[in-house]
Amino acid sequence: MDIADLIRPAGRSRCPTLLAGLIVLFVLAWATVAAASPALPPVPTAQIGGVATELTAIDRALDTRVDDKDRQQLRARADAARATATAAATDLQAQFDLIAARIAQLGPVTPGSPETPEIVAERTDLSRQRAVLDSAIKRARLLAIEGQQLVEEIQQSQAKQFSARISSKVPSPVTPAFWTAVFHAFPRDARRAVNFVTTGVRQIEAGLRRDLPWQAILGLVGGYLVLMPGRQAARRLGRRLLIEEAPGQRIRRSANAIWRVLVGTLSPILAGVLVMQGLRWSELSPPGWADMLDVLVGAAGFTGFAISICGSVLMTSQPSWRIAPIADAAAIRLRPFPPLIGALCFVVMVVQGFNTAIGASDTAQTATAAFLTLLYLMLIGGALLTIGRLRAEQTTAMEAAAGDDAPAAAAPVRTGLGIVMLATWIALAAALLALLVGYVQFGLLVGQFIVWIVLLGSAVYLLMVAVDDIASTVFARDSGVGLALTHGFGLRGSTIDQFGVLLSGVLRILLAIVALGMLVSPFGAGDGVGTLFGRLGVLAQGVKVGGITISPGTILRGIIVLFVGLTLLRAFMGWLEHRYLPATDLDGNGRNSVSLIARYLGVALAVIWTLASLGIGVERIALLLSALSVGIGFGLQAITQNFVSGLILLAERPIKIGDLIRVGTDEGDVKRISVRSTEIELGDHSTLIVPNSELITKSVLNKTLGSPLGRIQILFSVPIGTDAPRVRRIVLDAFAAEEAVLADPAPNAFVDGIADGRIMFNCMAQVSSPRAAYGARSNVLLALLHALRQEGVEIGTVAQRLELISPPSAITPTGNNRDSGSQ
């Protein structure tokens, strides 16, 4: 039975049954399609409305005077509202695209062709939803823009406040006016401090009279146990686990340093929290002291961080676990400074928190800032003097070890450390001068900034070393992970080593970026290094030339950007040459090519970055290059040709460093290949500098390109009556007696021919290098001459025949006379 039989009427009983079945199938299909169509979630109108209300509240709060803490909270709220609006717009856009796709499936309305009521209703409903979503998307995007504007406004206000704070001037601390103002404000500030302390003490005494404060006692005991024996036990436990479980020496050292920092930072925070919580549970914490107690806990944690981070770098008690390349004597001399830095940080945070808690006057805050600035300068100056003495002693010891006749043999002092010390001395002098002039806040900022750089730099150094140690150890060809990757995925050992080095480089770059962002964030100057560079442009208005503003701030910014770019390039090249390239399968010449190309590309990027910081965009650089193209075409053809030829040499490598080549009549070893020229060391130790275009466009003999071996060839002849096999044996013995001659390929001696009563020999042998062929050939000839002389064999070169031909005038008469005589 086919389909026609089902449709063909076969009686009255079959038609109603078939029609009912078709209707049921149609309804089921329509329900399936309707169920398959995804239901659209409701438009988050309430969420968008909440964002609008939040942004309005933030905007109104900014109209009033807010302090730093409130401003940070407002910025966080504005940032969260902006993120919420952006996420809502993204979600709504996905719904909008889905509805647009469903409308596109319905197709356009065909004029003159009526649609079913269901299709019309669906099209109307989809159009209404699309309009609602479009309106909501536009509103969410506008709210996101408004939130971003509020964030930027808060950042600008922070920057203005920061600039006003460091540029505020007061009477100099060495003048009577400064101390007169301090004496006038002292009674009121003293009353505020006494009231603050006495009020808290009374509340504590009242709490002690009510009941035994067992919660406070437990908090004190717990804080002591955590801070003293608990911290030491945690350090010993971590060291023991590292010794027993850590896979390598490098990971043990770096992990021990990180563990010391974590324990040293968390233990005072936990101890402070236990003590403060015990006081609160015992109701011995005065309400007015809440902020001050929080400051004490934070100061204890930061002090522990400062002491532990510097102590982990010096590691005076465990020199074998030290990561930094610091001598034992230097570490011992610098040991007092970590506790001093921690104590100073604690004093600064507590004093500033106390001034805020009691509402100290501006004069009192300025006086304490001047005192704290002096402490900072004394600490930094003492550290610089200690480091300077260590460098002087090290230089003196090296010169004494080298002797009076060779003072230059002493190792040079590191230039980078000298530059850093010089810059620190300059900053210290500037801070002292600012303090004496009256810019107290600026001097305090400089002191805090130097100490923060030391702490942040130490932390980043330890993290970078730890990241490099872990990545290089875990992803090594002979590690457990490396062997698993090799056996499981068939990866080569060099690929695993390269991945470990690349992972280490990427993670360290991320750490450097985070460190740059944290460099100025604790001082309220903005949100990172980009804000710092942006502030440099407002130092002066400058002069506009061709749409580019030239000012001292712009020039300084360009110099700083160029210095940072070249420093990053130097660090990258050090990592590339000493870490990544040795992990590859490239030979020395391939590494040199990659290194040179990377160096020139890095210099080009640093220059482009510097020009961009000066306001010279890529389009201006392109216009400049197009303008210079005419000059390049006429006056710089040779330089351009040599540059391109150098790139070809580095890419194709027909000539490599170490090759023995002959250019014209000159022969020597290739010592250096740059993008402009190639340096060849000749036999007399002079250097021949050949433009790269000469090596590309002209014939060059490379004796070591195909094979590094050299060949010795000796030609001689012996009389025809000489025993040829015996001569061949003597030659082979002479070759075998020479150490420079290789056994594989084996030397050989051939009879090249017989002519004019002599046997001609052609003898050849291989040596390890063409450079060794000349001396080895001389030694073989000397041995061969001695052996043939002892054997009585006469040798010589190819025989030559000399024929004397007389003139015809002399030959004819003689011949005629001879003929006539015979007749």
Side-chain angles (χ1 to χ4, degrees):
M1 179 183 296
D2 55 5
I3 298 177
D5 295 332
L6 292 175
I7 300 176
R8 185 184 306 115
R12 294 184 178 272
S13 61
R14 177 171 294 187
C15 290
T17 304
L18 289 176
L19 289 175
L22 291 175
I23 291 172
V24 171
L25 290 176
F26 179 77
V27 171
L28 290 176
W30 180 265
T32 303
V33 173
S37 300
L40 294 176
V43 178
T45 307
Q47 185 181 13
I48 297 177
V51 171
T53 304
E54 178 73 4
L55 292 178
T56 303
I58 295 172
D59 191 11
R60 291 178 179 176
L62 290 176
D63 294 336
T64 61
R65 185 176 180 179
V66 293
D67 55 6
D68 292 339
K69 185 177 181 181
D70 295 336
R71 188 178 290 106
Q72 292 290 342
Q73 294 178 355
L74 291 176
R75 184 192 180 282
R77 290 170 55 188
D79 203 3
R82 179 191 59 80
T84 303
T86 303
T90 303
D91 296 338
L92 292 175
Q93 184 63 42
Q95 300 179 27
F96 182 85
D97 295 337
L98 180 60
I99 290 180
R102 292 175 60 181
I103 293 176
Q105 290 178 356
L106 295 176
V109 179
T110 304
S113 177
E115 294 181 336
T116 62
E118 293 81 4
I119 299 297
V120 173
E122 184 179 2
R123 189 187 298 276
T124 303
D125 183 59
L126 290 176
S127 300
R128 180 185 58 80
Q129 293 185 23
R130 183 173 63 176
V132 173
L133 287 175
D134 183 60
S135 176
I137 290 172
K138 292 179 179 178
R139 187 184 181 192
R141 290 176 177 174
L142 289 175
L143 290 175
I145 295 174
E146 183 179 352
Q148 182 63 32
Q149 291 176 350
L150 288 176
V151 171
E152 293 177 356
E153 182 180 352
I154 295 173
Q155 289 178 351
Q156 291 177 0
S157 63
Q158 287 178 341
K160 290 179 181 179
Q161 185 179 9
F162 173 76
S163 301
R165 182 161 61 96
I166 64 174
S167 61
S168 61
K169 185 177 182 301
V170 297
S172 173
V174 296
T175 59
F178 179 84
W179 297 105
T180 301
V182 172
F183 290 148
H184 281 299
F186 178 75
R188 179 172 297 179
D189 291 321
R191 287 194 300 269
R192 290 175 179 175
V194 171
N195 291 334
F196 179 80
V197 174
T198 54
T199 302
V201 170
R202 289 172 183 173
Q203 293 179 358
I204 294 175
E205 291 176 350
L208 291 175
R209 286 194 296 266
R210 285 195 303 269
D211 195 3
L212 179 65
W214 57 270
Q215 298 96 335
I217 296 175
L218 290 179
L220 290 173
V221 173
Y224 172 79
L225 293 177
V226 169
L227 188 61
M228 301 303 295
R231 182 180 58 178
Q232 299 297 330
R235 287 182 176 178
R236 288 194 297 267
L237 177 62
R239 192 183 314 116
R240 185 177 63 190
L241 292 176
L242 289 174
I243 293 174
E244 296 175 354
E245 303 294 337
Q249 174 68 20
R250 296 176 58 187
I251 290 185
R252 282 198 291 266
R253 288 190 313 163
S254 57
N256 177 65
I258 300 299
W259 178 249
R260 285 175 61 93
V261 174
L262 290 177
V263 172
T265 304
L266 295 179
S267 56
I269 294 178
L270 181 58
V273 169
L274 290 176
V275 173
M276 299 307 169
Q277 198 62 37
L279 293 176
R280 289 189 176 98
W281 284 345
S282 301
E283 297 181 357
L284 296 180
S285 175
W289 285 18
D291 293 337
M292 189 62 199
L293 294 178
D294 293 337
V295 169
L296 286 174
V297 174
F302 190 81
T303 301
F305 168 76
I307 295 175
S308 59
I309 198 70
C310 296
S312 298
V313 173
L314 296 178
M315 203 71 73
T316 54
S317 60
Q318 298 171 338
S320 60
W321 292 79
R322 186 181 301 139
I323 296 177
I326 302 176
D328 293 341
I332 293 174
R333 294 279 292 274
L334 295 174
R335 180 168 53 185
F337 288 99
L340 291 177
I341 293 176
L344 180 57
C345 293
F346 183 83
V347 170
V348 170
M349 296 180 69
V350 170
V351 168
Q352 291 179 347
F354 185 76
N355 286 337
T356 303
I358 68 174
S361 62
D362 294 340
T363 304
Q365 293 184 9
T366 302
T368 54
F371 175 71
L372 295 176
T373 303
L374 188 60
L375 291 180
Y376 270 115
L377 299 183
M378 292 172 59
L379 176 63
I380 297 170
L384 290 176
L385 290 175
T386 302
I387 296 174
R389 292 194 186 99
L390 287 172
R391 295 179 63 198
E393 293 173 1
Q394 182 182 9
T395 305
T396 304
M398 290 181 177
E399 290 179 354
D404 298 334
D405 297 334
V413 181
R414 294 184 179 180
T415 306
L417 180 60
I419 294 176
V420 170
M421 291 188 61
L422 178 61
T424 308
W425 276 115
I426 294 174
L428 200 66
L432 180 60
L433 180 61
L435 177 63
L436 295 177
V437 171
Y439 292 96
V440 178
Q441 293 295 335
F442 178 78
L444 179 61
L445 175 68
V446 172
Q448 292 177 335
F449 190 66
I450 294 175
V451 173
W452 174 243
I453 287 177
V454 172
L455 297 179
L456 182 62
S458 301
V460 172
Y461 175 78
L462 291 180
L463 288 176
M464 284 190 172
V465 172
V467 164
D468 182 60
D469 291 343
I470 294 174
S472 302
T473 304
V474 173
F475 293 97
R477 65 180 67 191
D478 54 351
S479 65
V481 176
L483 294 176
L485 293 175
T486 301
H487 298 308
F489 299 96
L491 299 178
R492 294 185 303 174
S494 60
T495 302
I496 299 174
D497 292 340
Q498 292 176 43
F499 177 77
V501 175
L502 287 176
L503 179 63
S504 170
V506 171
L507 293 179
R508 286 193 285 177
I509 289 174
L510 293 178
L511 285 175
I513 294 174
V514 173
L516 288 175
M518 296 177 61
L519 189 62
V520 294
S521 56
F523 306 99
D527 298 316
V529 69
T531 306
L532 178 61
F533 283 122
R535 298 294 175 266
L536 293 176
V538 298
L539 292 177
Q541 295 296 327
V543 179
K544 278 194 173 184
V545 178
I548 301 173
T549 302
I550 299 177
S551 63
T554 304
I555 296 174
L556 178 61
R557 181 172 57 192
I559 295 174
I560 293 176
V561 169
L562 180 61
F563 176 76
V564 171
L566 294 179
T567 303
L568 294 177
L569 174 62
R570 183 177 180 181
F572 172 75
M573 292 304 301
W575 171 81
L576 180 68
E577 294 175 352
H578 301 293
R579 295 284 299 142
Y580 179 69
L581 291 179
T584 63
D585 296 331
L586 298 175
D587 56 4
N589 298 283
R591 297 177 192 176
N592 177 71
S593 301
V594 174
S595 177
L596 284 176
I597 293 175
R599 186 181 302 277
Y600 284 106
L601 287 177
V603 172
L605 290 177
V607 172
I608 292 175
W609 187 23
T610 303
L611 294 177
S613 68
L614 296 176
I616 303 176
V618 179
E619 65 282 356
R620 296 179 181 271
I621 298 175
L623 291 175
L624 179 62
L625 292 177
S626 62
L628 291 176
S629 61
V630 178
I632 293 175
F634 287 99
L636 303 178
Q637 288 183 357
I639 296 178
T640 306
Q641 185 179 10
N642 290 327
F643 180 80
V644 175
S645 300
L647 295 179
I648 294 174
L649 288 176
L650 293 175
E652 295 184 356
R653 296 195 296 165
I655 298 173
K656 303 181 295 295
I657 295 178
D659 285 351
L660 179 63
I661 66 173
R662 177 179 294 173
V663 181
T665 58
D666 297 311
E667 181 176 298
D669 298 323
V670 178
K671 292 300 182 183
R672 183 174 179 270
I673 300 176
S674 64
V675 294
R676 190 193 65 84
S677 62
T678 299
E679 297 180 3
I680 303 173
E681 184 177 358
L682 303 181
D684 58 353
H685 300 290
S686 61
T687 301
L688 177 66
I689 301 176
V690 182
N692 290 330
S693 59
E694 297 289 327
L695 303 177
I696 294 296
T697 59
K698 294 184 179 181
S699 299
V700 178
L701 176 62
N702 192 337
K703 293 188 174 182
T704 55
L705 178 62
S707 173
L709 301 180
R711 192 182 71 166
I712 297 174
Q713 184 178 18
I714 299 175
L715 298 174
F716 67 93
S717 64
V718 297
I720 190 66
T722 307
D723 188 0
R726 184 163 62 94
V727 175
R728 183 176 182 274
R729 187 177 62 255
I730 294 173
V731 174
L732 295 179
D733 291 341
F735 279 140
E738 175 58 31
E739 296 180 356
V741 174
L742 301 177
D744 185 21
N748 213 330
F750 301 96
V751 175
D752 196 38
I754 300 174
D756 298 326
R758 301 190 71 85
I759 304 174
M760 290 170 285
F761 281 88
N762 188 1
C763 310
M764 288 172 288
Q766 305 293 328
V767 292
S768 60
S769 171
R771 303 170 185 84
Y774 193 81
R777 184 173 183 271
S778 175
N779 295 335
V780 171
L781 285 175
L782 290 174
L784 184 61
L785 289 173
H786 179 70
L788 292 177
R789 186 178 298 109
Q790 287 185 343
E791 294 291 336
V793 177
E794 175 189 356
I795 64 173
T797 58
V798 178
Q800 298 179 355
R801 182 176 59 185
L802 179 63
E803 296 182 359
L804 298 176
I805 300 176
S806 301
S809 58
I811 295 176
T812 302
T814 306
N816 293 337
N817 294 334
R818 184 180 297 120
D819 294 339
S820 59
S822 62
Q823 292 176 352

